[in-house]
Amino acid sequence: MDVESFDYVIVGAGSAGCVLANRLTEDGRASVLLLEFGGSDRSVLIQMPSALSIPMNMKKYNWGYHSEPEPHLGGRRMNVPRGKVLGGSSSINGMVYVRGAPADFDRWEHEGARGWSYPDVLPYFRRAEHRRAGGDPYRGGEGALHTTYGTLDNPLHQAFMAAAEEAGHLHNDDINGATQEGFGRMDMTVHNGRRWSTANAYLKPALGRANLKVQTGAFVERVTFEGRTATGVAYTVGNRKVTATARREVILSAGSINSPKLLMLSGVGPGADLAAQGIAVVADRPGVGANLQDHLEFYFQVACREPITLFSSMSPFAKGSIGARWLLTKKGLGATNHFESCGFIRSSPEIDHADIQYHFLPLAVTYDGKGLASEHGFQAHVGPMRSKSRGTVRLASPDPAAPPRILFNYMSHADDWREMRACVRLTREIFAQASFDRYRGREMQPGADVQTDDEIDAFVRDHVESAYHPSCTCRMGGASDPLAVVDPETRVIGLERLRIVDSSIMPSITTGNLNAPTIMIAEKAADIIRGRAPLAAADVPYERVAFLPLPAQAAL
């Protein structure tokens, strides 16, 4: 067995791992090994924004996980794509840049993540971001992560935003600013026409550093321990077995599925479950793999009476022309993710801040690109943001190569059904406004005959899809919380020299897409790991929410 030694060993070159690899090596004082099972992200299919659905469905770039049969969705097994490539899921996602509501981070602190309130995290969002429209007290203008708005060339985007205002909803000039609620433009992580993953933004600028080694094709099997102290990781590259020792710390950035899986394979997790698998228990942490959260959404589709949708661009010839223009100029329809307008609203007036998200798309198609309609149409991706359902990630086998058992337990709470019914009715109301009169044809999905609660529930059960935002499976909390996995310093509670830095440590899911807050987590964690003073808390006005006392064991 080969042995190598570094100051830090990072597992996973994804949305968080690439950020850490850059930040921990930038002063040249520490050596870092970054391990990634996937390979290069140089493919045109990854770098061209409009091709986003293709790498998501390729075994080369996707771990290819699926859930267990979901009991409240008729036993459906849900697709759980996770990036297996440099950049991780930021190399196969939809490139949507949504930070979350300010109240999400105040709620994190309320849930035990001391020092992670909105004023604490806003400076790290700003440090990460390089907004094409420029910085301001809420937005960054000089960071590594480029964000931009789409061109809104398709008139259906303007119709969508106008119709929302006609339906009584707010207009919002910046949903990533002081308040999230309302309809407006949607930011995307695209720079000069290319996907701006964390591999492009953070890792590639650091690759020339002598103190950074990036090992692709590395399948990590376990964290190694001496007593309760992490000493490194055991991994394989092809047929070669390697032990990488960490003089300072091991950092798991493998994501909300693979980080808890790796912890459990290493003996950290629910003790009885691990013992039943024949795994020696290093630390009995019942919260590992618990508290799994996600966003569900459905596609509300309407036929378009004018031939102005992206359906005209779906023929092989049109796709070839779009691809050729992108290759030559990095412009045109190939340079956008097409999610250029969005909205956040409340499912009912008593909700304290927006809990429904919209992505608008001038095409009727499923997110994975497989379910293209046979005619011109447009759609809104719509779903609740703060489901009360909770799931688990568990080992199926002590064999590291075996996929884990993932059960989201979607729609297991009565409030989730109420919110989904509101999504259908509120969306129908928006599409019925005058701004859509010239474009609106028949309702393709759910269909005008889907009206009653029972009919909507049946539609949801059969058609709802994951928004691909698994999170919270190693949640952050106080050291005295038996269900927390990491403390506010991102250290695994009860162990030494082991941290987790990725979306799994979110105490609760944020209101929106998860790439932006995951990058923020890594930016803030990098300062913590390096022993640096945190950036000064932001002193800006923002929408505040009062929180009720937490019930006992709320995370499960």
Side-chain angles (χ1 to χ4, degrees), residues 121-248:
V121 304
L122 177 57
Y124 288 97
F125 278 120
R126 295 187 70 251
R127 183 169 81 176
E129 187 184 13
H130 191 137
R131 185 189 188 208
R132 186 176 182 184
D136 63 29
Y138 300 92
R139 305 296 295 269
E142 300 178 356
L145 186 73
H146 286 265
T147 67
T148 189
Y149 290 126
T151 60
L152 299 179
D153 287 340
N154 193 296
L156 289 168
H157 286 293
Q158 299 291 354
F160 175 66
M161 292 185 285
E165 289 190 68
E166 290 170 348
H169 301 295
L170 301 172
H171 174 77
N172 191 337
D173 286 330
D174 186 5
I175 57 94
N176 286 312
T179 183
Q180 187 186 55
E181 188 168 2
F183 286 74
R185 297 173 296 176
M186 180 168 263
D187 296 87
M188 55 182 163
T189 49
V190 171
H191 177 48
N192 291 335
R194 294 174 60 211
R195 173 192 290 273
W196 209 242
S197 65
T198 55
N200 284 332
Y202 286 92
L203 184 58
K204 290 175 184 176
L207 287 178
R209 297 173 186 167
N211 57 331
L212 173 62
K213 177 181 177 180
V214 179
Q215 178 64 66
T216 56
F219 185 80
V220 179
E221 296 183 344
R222 69 185 188 280
V223 179
T224 58
F225 288 94
E226 289 182 1
R228 299 175 73 86
T229 299
T231 59
V233 301
Y235 71 94
T236 60
V237 178
N239 295 322
R240 185 166 63 99
K241 291 185 177 295
V242 185
T243 295
T245 62
R247 292 185 290 267
R248 297 186 187 179

Side-chain angles (χ1 to χ4, degrees), residues 222 261-282 395-400:
R222 69 185 188 280
K261 176 192 173 187
L262 187 54
L263 280 179
M264 289 184 283
L265 287 169
S266 308
V268 182
D273 289 355
L274 300 184
Q277 297 273 6
I279 297 172
V281 178
V282 175
L395 294 181
S397 163
D399 179 2

